[in-house]
Amino acid sequence: MSEHHEPLPVERKLLTPGVYVLLLLTFIGVCFAAWRFIFGLSSVTNLDQQHPWGLWIAFDVATGVALAAGGFTAGALAHIFHREHYHAIVRPALLTAMLGYTFVGIGLMADLGRYYNIWHPAMPWMWSPNSALFEVGMCVMLYLTVLYLEFAPIVCERFQKYDKRFALLTNLSDRVYPILNKIMPLLIIAGVVLSCAHQSSLGNLMVLVPSKMHPLWSTPIMTILFLLSAIAVGFPMVIFEGMYAAWSLKLKPEMHILSKLAKYIPVLLGAYLGFKIGDMAIRGSYVYLGEGSTQSTMFIIEMVFGVIVPFVMLLSARVRNSPGWLFLASLLVVLGVALNRINVFLVAFMPLYPVKSYFPAIGEIAVTIGLVSLLMFLYRVVVTYFPVITHPGKVRAA
Amino acid sequence: MSLNRREFIKAAGLAGIGGSACLLGERAQASEARSPSPDAMGVLVDIPKCIGCRRCEYACQEAAGFDPPPIETFEDKSVFEQARRPQPRSHTVINRYANPQDQANPVYNKFNCMHCVDPACVSACLVSALSKQEDGPVVYDVSRCMGCRYCLVACPFEIPTYDYDMPLKPQVRKCNLCAHLVPEVQDVPACVKICPQEVLTYGKRSELLELAHEKIVTAPDVYIDHVYGEHEAGGASWLYLSSVPFDQVGFKHFDHKAPPRLTEKIQHAEFKYFLPPLMWFGLLGAAMWLTKPESGGTSHE
């Protein structure tokens, strides 16, 4: 328990040139989204009767959920297993998860034909416990609530410590803060349980359609693979966004924490790799590796650059201790898991009666880029005004 | 503490692996399909009898309330140049295929919702908008639907379609076996009623299966020995007899196991009586307490 650095609002200028670029990209995305809501899905997307799910499900929803896994893995490490050393990463990871899941919800709204019925799965008379998607929907709704509650104390702190202009808010914060802190252990455990449940159920979605799935991905243990890959991508995502945010906000990255955190990655990524190889060996699906198809090429890219290369890299202490190499290795894991989700939902999905092949339309890509830009902008807004990031060097008396 | 922190974590990890292994073991013995209801109705399609008049396409559009063009326009044979699929406004389509035994007489096949015995779309739907009626039809309740289109993804026969062009009230569209008309308004579905060649027989699925096998036995030179829909993807209410192998008339090969048997087993193993999530909650709570540093620890901010 050496360092007692405390998270602080960054208090930097918000509207930098980079932020203007984010806002412009967001604006373009909003325009395409508006077009979709006025003229329907077919006016903006390349979806057709044979390809009911496209980029918005594969990336905005499935990848979004996977990459938000840093929230529960960091929370478990620091608070359930009490690795106090890692406290500084919990708040940024929590913020990423909270924003990430919020955007899963918004992205889903754009994709749903009857978005105004998005609340239906919560109604007991519509429950459908046989459906993996029902489980995903319920857990995401509950987890989103848990994430907001977990984040609420951080909001309170702003009005308690850094901004006393609003007496009402300060009073309210003073009253709510102790209650939130009391239920926090329950929330943290609930967050982990809910995360594990829906991360794995998300993998069960495509188990229902073996006849349309390429055999390299089509396996009954997809639930286990989705859970393991989500757990494996948690810390790389924390490292990636921590270093990226530090660079962007001109802070020093917390290498003494991140390098240590990186030691867990080869273990977690290795477990995933083990299951993936075991699955391939048992099902004999390796015979498709040399197929030379888009599918086999994408599978090889996913496994080599997204799993094996970063796994080997992160075994080395030199990589873990070098900011540049650590960033690159973490980025590879993040991209690898993102590619896995895109592969499972788009590349491996092969309709039986295709009319044409699916590639996302400009509008779909623009909406996705707009969502990611808005997410990055909101991340910056929140860390600017709320105590999320722990700045090395600035020690505050407790 | 008798159990130290590391031992506890190891034990918890092993418990997790053990649990996953049990899950895998259970998967291996999944059943084939839900058994069909004895009251389930269905349709037997005698493919060799079909002449491709497409009157069923007309009747279907009319029964679904789509106000079809005059029936004569359905005599247009040029549509057969391409294999068509059901569309939001035509829930059944007839396609033409070359007849390897008799080049002069092509074969026609009819495509529409198979009304599976154990439907993947029903299992997929997260708001129970799709359901399987006791008397056979798989029906859609638009008031529940969110438009997620997982049913389109899930259907092994690739049947449901979607109103992608409708911004406000899009629907999933597919044949409902005229459940809105039968038996109150008419005795048989619209396509069965209009068919001039008696290609389609409406009846109890169990009796249709008997009839189909009887036909195969009495005319083995006409029919191949396979009733498509008897076992495909767990079985369907629509059953097909053919003179040529089914893969030559636009049908795909399927396992006999209904896809939901596997996913529902996994889903329910994960959530049996909510015990697994509660167990994890307890284990993690125990871990949280046991690994708490002796110094009293810090709060969780």
Side-chain angles (χ1 to χ4, degrees):
Chain A
M1 318 294 113
S2 50
E3 58 267 273
H4 264 293
H5 296 170
E6 212 180 296
L8 291 171
V10 176
E11 308 279 11
R12 284 209 206 279
K13 198 179 139 203
L14 188 62
L15 295 175
T16 60
V19 168
Y20 280 116
V21 172
L22 290 180
L23 289 175
L24 176 69
L25 291 171
T26 304
F27 176 72
I28 296 172
V30 167
C31 291
F32 277 101
W35 196 267
R36 171 258 171 273
F37 283 109
I38 298 167
F39 298 105
L41 282 164
S42 60
S43 65
V44 169
T45 71
N46 276 344
L47 299 175
D48 60 29
Q49 306 298 358
Q50 288 71 39
H51 299 89
W53 283 354
L55 182 70
W56 292 347
I57 293 295
F59 189 83
D60 304 7
V61 176
T63 307
V65 166
L67 298 189
F72 88 89
T73 50
L77 183 69
H79 294 313
I80 295 182
F81 298 107
H82 298 284
R83 296 292 186 266
E84 312 291 342
H85 185 65
Y86 299 107
H87 266 206
I89 63 163
V90 172
R91 286 187 172 193
L94 176 60
L95 175 60
T96 313
M98 184 182 75
L99 291 176
Y101 275 90
T102 305
F103 279 79
V104 166
I106 298 174
L108 186 62
M109 289 284 273
D111 189 78
L112 288 178
R114 296 186 167 227
Y115 46 88
Y116 40 83
N117 287 343
I118 196 167
W119 50 277
H120 277 185
M123 300 298 110
W125 62 90
M126 300 204 206
W127 281 359
S128 175
N130 288 336
S131 167
L133 194 57
F134 166 71
E135 201 274 319
V136 173
M138 284 300 272
C139 279
V140 168
M141 276 194 253
L142 289 171
Y143 186 42
L144 199 52
T145 313
V146 167
L147 283 169
Y148 283 122
L149 286 172
E150 282 187 64
F151 198 79
I154 300 169
V155 178
C156 291
E157 277 175 26
R158 170 169 177 91
F159 298 110
Q160 288 174 308
K161 291 185 194 166
Y162 310 107
D163 184 356
K164 301 203 171 173
R165 284 174 295 172
F166 312 100
L168 193 74
L169 285 175
T170 305
N171 276 341
L172 187 70
S173 298
D174 283 338
R175 220 170 300 159
V176 171
Y177 194 76
I179 303 172
L180 287 169
N181 261 345
K182 205 163 271 174
I183 62 167
M184 198 51 71
L186 286 178
L187 291 176
I188 288 162
I189 300 175
V192 176
V193 175
L194 288 169
S195 291
C196 289
H198 74 265
Q199 293 282 3
S200 58
S201 287
L202 206 51
N204 210 4
L205 291 184
M206 299 316 256
V207 178
L208 189 57
V209 276
S211 57
K212 298 183 202 172
M213 291 291 285
H214 191 280
L216 279 171
W217 289 276
S218 180
T219 164
I221 66 157
M222 206 119 74
T223 43
I224 294 171
L225 295 178
F226 264 51
L227 179 60
L228 288 176
S229 54
I231 293 173
V233 81
F235 297 150
M237 189 64 193
V238 168
I239 294 172
F240 162 72
E241 50 116 323
M243 293 182 79
Y244 183 81
W247 169 79
S248 166
L249 296 161
K250 298 180 179 64
L251 302 167
K252 261 180 79 178
E254 304 231 65
M255 284 304 289
H256 64 290
I257 299 178
L258 301 182
S259 297
K260 256 184 111 175
L261 184 65
K263 274 190 179 175
Y264 291 100
I265 303 173
V267 181
L268 301 172
L269 202 58
Y272 172 56
L273 182 62
F275 268 80
K276 197 93 175 162
I277 291 172
D279 170 61
M280 240 197 316
I282 290 168
R283 289 189 303 112
S285 62
Y286 48 81
V287 297
Y288 298 97
L289 285 175
E291 205 180 48
S293 59
T294 312
Q295 281 77 15
S296 65
T297 311
M298 292 295 272
F299 185 86
I300 292 167
I301 294 174
E302 176 196 324
M303 289 312 293
V304 172
F305 295 102
V307 185
I308 298 169
V309 168
F311 170 73
V312 173
M313 280 173 80
L314 287 163
L315 286 173
S316 141
R318 259 187 54 211
V319 170
R320 293 196 304 267
N321 291 323
S322 139
W325 286 109
L326 179 61
F327 183 80
L328 179 67
S330 303
L331 181 61
L332 283 177
V333 181
V334 169
L335 293 177
V337 172
L339 184 59
N340 172 259
R341 298 309 192 255
I342 288 170
N343 279 346
V344 166
F345 286 95
L346 297 184
V347 179
F349 187 76
M350 301 193 296
L352 302 178
Y353 303 96
V355 178
K356 56 184 173 65
S357 59
Y358 169 84
F359 193 85
I362 301 283
E364 288 174 272
I365 297 169
V367 169
T368 295
I369 290 176
L371 275 173
V372 174
S373 304
L374 184 56
L375 188 146
M376 288 168 73
F377 171 70
L378 288 179
Y379 186 97
R380 197 175 172 110
V381 171
V382 174
V383 299
T384 302
Y385 296 108
F386 295 92
V388 173
I389 294 182
T390 308
H391 317 202
K394 273 198 207 170
V395 186
R396 209 184 144 87
Chain B
M1 236 181 290
S2 57
L3 193 68
N4 77 31
R5 186 195 285 176
R6 262 176 206 289
E7 279 170 16
F8 179 83
I9 294 168
K10 267 187 217 155
L14 282 176
I17 293 167
S20 317
C22 294
L23 207 73
L24 279 171
E26 242 188 308
R27 269 170 217 171
Q29 37 178 301
S31 62
E32 298 263 301
R34 269 196 192 137
S35 48
S37 147
D39 302 323
M41 304 298 280
V43 178
L44 176 63
V45 186
D46 197 331
I47 294 177
K49 282 188 181 173
C50 181
I51 56 166
C53 71
R54 295 177 60 217
R55 277 165 193 263
C56 53
E57 291 186 18
Y58 167 82
C60 175
Q61 293 186 21
E62 193 184 40
F66 290 141
D67 206 8
I71 194 161
E72 300 78 54
T73 58
F74 285 81
E75 283 161 21
D76 175 13
K77 305 273 177 198
S78 67
V79 295
F80 289 136
E81 269 146 43
Q82 281 173 327
R84 295 171 301 150
R85 297 297 301 163
Q87 292 300 324
R89 273 159 204 282
S90 45
H91 301 168
T92 188
V93 289
I94 301 285
N95 284 330
R96 186 175 67 193
Y97 298 92
N99 187 346
Q101 293 144 10
D102 180 2
Q103 296 294 339
N105 287 308
V107 195
Y108 299 93
N109 195 7
K110 184 176 190 292
F111 297 88
N112 45 251
C113 176
M114 300 286 282
H115 298 277
C116 298
V117 169
D118 193 349
C121 60
V122 171
S123 175
C125 184
L126 76 166
V127 286
S128 309
L130 286 156
S131 55
K132 172 84 177 164
Q133 286 184 190
E134 276 297 295
D135 59 343
V138 175
V139 295
Y140 171 64
D141 176 359
V142 66
S143 69
R144 291 165 174 259
C145 183
M146 299 161 67
C148 74
R149 310 184 297 286
Y150 187 26
C151 49
L152 275 77
V153 171
C155 177
F157 300 101
E158 232 166 87
I159 291 297
T161 57
Y162 201 67
D163 294 327
Y164 288 104
D165 54 343
M166 293 194 180
L168 268 181
K169 292 184 162 182
Q171 295 192 29
V172 171
R173 309 274 187 175
K174 70 168 199 71
C175 156
N176 67 347
L177 207 57
C178 284
H180 61 302
L181 301 173
V182 178
E184 289 79 11
V185 181
Q186 56 193 58
D187 295 330
V188 298
C191 56
V192 179
K193 195 174 167 189
I194 202 169
C195 180
Q197 297 298 111
E198 295 183 338
V199 177
L200 309 172
T201 314
Y202 181 73
K204 278 201 173 162
R205 183 180 188 266
S206 51
E207 288 165 14
L208 293 176
L209 270 173
E210 272 174 44
L211 175 65
H213 285 289
E214 220 175 274
K215 282 191 176 192
I216 292 173
V217 171
T218 48
D221 47 329
V222 178
Y223 303 108
I224 57 162
D225 188 14
H226 181 180
V227 181
Y228 193 88
E230 183 173 10
H231 299 296
E232 275 72 16
S237 302
W238 279 68
L239 305 163
Y240 289 75
L241 281 174
S242 176
S243 54
V244 298
F246 286 104
D247 57 2
Q248 293 176 21
V249 289
F251 277 145
K252 306 287 177 185
H253 174 79
F254 289 104
D255 276 355
H256 289 182
K257 195 163 115 179
R261 286 312 101 227
L262 176 61
T263 51
E264 291 184 13
K265 198 131 211 160
I266 296 170
Q267 215 50 41
H268 293 185
E270 242 181 272
F271 287 91
K272 199 140 211 170
Y273 311 114
F274 275 98
L275 282 178
L278 286 175
M279 181 194 81
W280 283 113
F281 206 99
L283 274 178
L284 289 168
M288 196 177 201
W289 179 71
L290 285 171
T291 58
K292 200 166 180 148
E294 306 295 324
S295 59
T298 50
S299 83
H300 23 74
E301 37 201 82

